[in-house]
C-alpha cells in the first residue's frame, strides 16, 4: 500500500512539474515580447529595471504561504527572472574578484546566474569598467556589520559619476580552508583578506595562535594560493574564505563558520549609470561636503530629524580639499523624489558646500 501511495504522489509531482515548466516557457515568451516592444520603441537602454524586479520579488515573498521559506521562494523566482532577462539582454556584471569572492556571491544573489561575470582585481577597476561601459553594472562591498565601512568604495564615489542602483545584504560565513591531507598543527601561515582576518580574530587567537596571518587582495586569492601551494609550502598554509572559493579550488573545510560575530553581515552596492525610479521601499545615499565651521555636523543632521527622515548610517572621510575638511556619506530611508526627502535636500543645500545624490534604489529584498 505504501508503494502505491508513493507512486500516486510521484505521478502528481510529475504532472505539476509539467505545468510549472509550461508556465515558465510562457513567461519566457512574454519576456521576449517585452524585448521586442522595447526595441521597436527605442528603449533598449532600460532592459533591466531594478525597481520592477524589487517589486516582483517583494510580491512573491508576500504571497508565499507554502512550506518553503520566503528566501528560498525568492531565490527560485530570482533565477527565473534572470534567465528571462537574458533573453532580452544578457547583463555583464563587474565585481571585485577573482572568482569565488563574497562579492561574486553577492552579484549572483542580486542578478541571478544568467549573467556574464567579469572579475576584476580592485574596487577602483570595477568603477572604471562600469564608467567605460565595458560592463552594465558593478558590485562592490560597502559595509560590514563588525568591521565598518569599506573606505576604498567610499573614496571611489568621490571621483565618479556612477550612481547606486541597488544593494545586497549577505550573511558572511568564514571558513578555514586547507588542501587535502593537511595537518592543522603544522600550518604556519593563514591567508585571507584583511577584513576576514579581523572578523575571525578571536577564533584564530584561540585555535591557531601559532600560525602567522597574511592579508591578501581577496579571500578567493587566499584560496588560490593554498590550492597552488609550492612544494615547500605543502601542508603549511591555510586560507579563510567562503564555501564558493572552497568549491572552486577543491579545498577542504576542517572548520566552518569561524567568524567571531554570528550575525556577521556585509552590504554590497550595485553601481551603474541610470537613476532608478521609486519602488515603494527605497533607500538613498548622499555625499555631503560640509563647510569647515562650528556646528557643521549639527546642520547636516538636524534636517533629517525635523522632516522625520530616518537616517541609517553616516560616515566621514577626508575631503582632500585642505586640512580638516570632511565629506560625509549618508544613507537614509526614502527616495530622493519623496516630498519630505526633497525638503531635507533643500535645507542641506543651504548649509553645505556640495550635496550630491549618489543614488536612490530599492532596499535589499532577498
Amino acid at each position: 500500500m505504501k508503494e502505491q501511495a508513493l507512486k500516486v504522489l510521484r505521478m502528481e509531482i510529475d504532472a505539476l512539474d509539467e505545468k510549472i515548466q509550461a508556465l515558465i516557457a510562457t513567461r519566457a515568451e512574454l519576456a521576449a515580447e517585452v524585448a521586442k516592444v522595447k526595441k521597436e520603441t527605442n528603449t533598449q537602454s532600460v532592459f533591466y529595471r531594478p525597481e520592477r524586479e524589487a517589486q516582483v520579488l517583494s510580491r512573491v515573498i508576500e504571497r508565499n504561504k507554502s512550506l518553503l521559506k520566503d528566501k528560498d521562494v525568492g531565490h527560485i523566482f530570482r533565477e527565473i527572472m534572470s534567465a528571462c532577462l537574458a533573453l532580452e539582454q544578457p547583463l555583464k556584471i563587474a565585481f571585485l574578484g577573482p572568482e569565488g569572492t563574497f562579492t561574486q556571491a553577492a552579484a549572483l544573489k542580486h542578478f541571478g546566474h544568467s549573467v556574464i561575470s567579469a572579475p576584476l582585481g580592485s574596487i577602483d577597476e570595477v568603477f572604471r569598467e562600469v564608467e567605460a561601459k565595458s560592463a552594465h553594472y558593478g558590485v562592490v562591498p560597502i559595509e560590514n556589520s563588525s568591521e565598518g565601512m569599506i573606505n576604498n568604495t567610499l573614496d571611489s564615489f568621490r571621483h565618479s559619476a556612477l550612481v547606486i542602483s541597488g544593494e545586497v545584504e549577505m550573511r558572511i560565513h568564514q571558513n578555514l580552508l586547507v588542501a587535502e591531507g593537511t595537518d592543522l598543527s603544522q600550518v604556519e601561515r593563514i591567508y585571507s583578506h584583511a577584513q576576514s582576518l579581523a572578523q575571525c580574530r578571536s577564533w584564530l587567537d584561540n585555535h591557531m595562535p601559532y600560525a602567522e596571518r597574511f592579508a591578501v587582495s581577496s579571500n578567493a586569492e587566499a584560496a588560490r594560493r593554498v590550492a597552488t601551494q609550492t612544494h615547500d609550502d605543502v601542508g603549511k598554509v591555510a586560507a579563510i574564505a567562503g564555501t564558493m572559493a572552497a568549491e572552486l579550488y577543491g579545498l577542504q573545510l576542517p572548520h566552518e563558520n569561524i567568524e567571531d560575530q554570528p550575525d556577521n553581515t556585509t552590504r554590497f552596492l550595485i553601481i551603474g549609470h541610470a537613476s532608478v525610479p521609486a519602488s515603494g521601499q527605497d533607500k538613498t545615499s548622499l555625499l555631503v561636503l560640509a563647510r569647515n565651521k562650528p556646528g557643521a555636523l549639527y546642520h547636516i543632521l538636524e534636517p533629517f530629524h525635523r522632516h522625520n527622515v530616518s537616517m541609517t548610517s553616516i560616515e566621514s572621510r577626508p575631503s582632500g580639499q585642505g586640512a580638516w575638511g570632511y565629506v560625509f556619506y549618508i544613507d537614509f530611508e526614502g527616495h530622493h523624489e519623496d516630498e519630505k526627502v526633497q525638503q531635507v535636500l533643500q535645507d542641506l543645500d543651504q548649509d553645505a558646500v556640495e550635496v550630491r545624490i549618489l543614488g536612490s534604489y530599492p532596499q535589499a529584498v532577498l
Side-chain angles (χ1 to χ4, degrees):
M1 293 296 292
K2 289 183 179 179
E3 285 297 325
Q4 183 61 30
L6 284 173
K7 184 177 180 181
V8 171
L9 289 171
R10 286 166 178 160
M11 289 176 63
E12 290 181 4
I13 289 174
D14 289 344
L16 282 174
D17 285 346
E18 287 185 22
K19 293 179 181 179
I20 291 170
Q21 188 172 355
L23 290 171
I24 292 174
T26 301
R27 194 189 195 284
E29 291 170 0
L30 290 173
E33 284 296 315
V34 168
K36 181 179 178 181
V37 172
K38 287 179 178 178
K39 288 179 180 178
E40 290 175 350
T41 56
N42 296 318
T43 58
Q44 302 98 308
S45 61
V46 289
F47 278 113
Y48 176 63
R49 296 290 298 273
E51 80 287 357
R52 163 71 177 162
E53 294 207 349
Q55 291 166 349
V56 171
L57 289 173
S58 294
R59 288 197 295 268
V60 165
I61 291 172
E62 288 171 6
R63 288 195 303 262
N64 182 38
K65 306 297 180 185
S66 72
L67 296 176
L68 297 176
K69 295 179 181 178
D70 288 349
K71 67 179 182 65
D72 293 331
V73 174
H75 288 312
I76 291 169
F77 273 82
R78 166 70 278 171
E79 291 300 333
I80 293 172
M81 294 164 64
S82 178
C84 289
L85 179 62
L87 295 174
E88 301 181 47
Q89 182 186 64
L91 293 178
K92 183 177 180 181
I93 309 300
F95 61 88
L96 178 61
E99 289 190 353
T101 60
F102 288 116
T103 311
Q104 182 183 23
L108 296 177
K109 179 181 180 182
H110 186 81
F111 290 100
H113 286 70
S114 297
V115 296
I116 301 168
S117 295
L120 296 170
S122 69
I123 289 172
D124 290 343
E125 287 183 60
V126 175
F127 271 82
R128 287 196 294 269
E129 189 80 354
V130 180
E131 286 169 349
K133 298 186 177 181
S134 298
H136 294 96
Y137 292 93
V139 182
V140 290
I142 184 64
E143 180 180 12
N144 178 264
S145 59
S146 60
E147 292 301 310
M149 289 288 183
I150 312 299
N151 290 333
N152 285 353
T153 301
L154 291 178
D155 293 343
S156 293
F157 278 115
R158 185 77 179 94
H159 307 289
S160 176
L162 296 178
V163 297
I164 304 168
S165 62
E167 67 172 358
V168 187
E169 291 182 353
M170 283 195 64
R171 287 288 297 275
I172 302 298
H173 294 299
Q174 306 283 6
N175 309 285
L176 189 71
L177 276 56
V178 297
E180 184 176 0
T182 299
D183 180 353
L184 294 186
S185 66
Q186 301 301 310
V187 170
E188 299 177 357
R189 295 185 300 282
I190 299 176
Y191 297 107
S192 193
H193 189 275
Q195 285 259 340
S196 295
L197 290 172
Q199 291 166 22
C200 304
R201 187 181 297 114
S202 295
W203 190 93
L204 291 171
D205 288 344
N206 290 326
H207 295 85
M208 303 187 72
Y210 50 84
E212 194 171 0
R213 304 163 199 178
F214 287 87
V216 294
S217 59
S218 70
N219 292 345
E221 169 61 18
R224 187 195 65 79
R225 290 194 180 200
V226 173
T228 59
Q229 56 192 271
T230 63
H231 177 74
D232 292 338
D233 287 336
V234 171
K236 298 179 182 179
V237 293
I240 294 175
T243 55
M244 190 174 183
E247 293 170 1
L248 181 65
Y249 292 102
L251 299 176
Q252 297 184 334
L253 287 73
H255 293 283
E256 299 181 48
N257 301 344
I258 65 173
E259 63 274 5
D260 297 333
Q261 300 295 329
D263 59 348
N264 184 32
T265 302
T266 295
R267 179 169 164 252
F268 301 83
L269 295 178
I270 313 301
I271 54 175
H273 292 273
S275 59
V276 180
S279 71
Q281 195 72 23
D282 300 291
K283 185 181 288 185
T284 296
S285 295
L286 207 63
L287 179 153
V288 180
L289 178 58
R291 298 186 188 279
N292 190 1
K293 67 176 185 179
L297 180 57
Y298 168 80
H299 288 292
I300 290 173
L301 299 178
E302 192 275 335
F304 290 92
H305 173 72
R306 177 154 40 91
H307 296 294
N308 195 31
V309 173
S310 179
M311 184 184 297
T312 57
S313 69
I314 181 170
E315 187 78 9
S316 64
R317 293 289 295 156
S319 67
Q321 298 181 4
W324 317 119
Y326 288 93
V327 173
F328 292 92
Y329 295 86
I330 301 171
D331 292 337
F332 57 89
E333 294 179 356
H335 194 276
H336 72 268
E337 294 179 347
D338 296 346
E339 182 178 351
K340 60 182 182 180
V341 173
Q342 284 288 313
Q343 293 171 340
V344 171
L345 296 175
Q346 290 172 11
D347 290 349
L348 289 175
D349 276 332
Q350 297 176 12
D351 283 299
V353 176
E354 179 186 358
V355 177
R356 179 154 64 91
I357 298 171
L358 299 179
S360 290
Y361 47 93
Q363 295 184 27
V365 176
L366 296 178

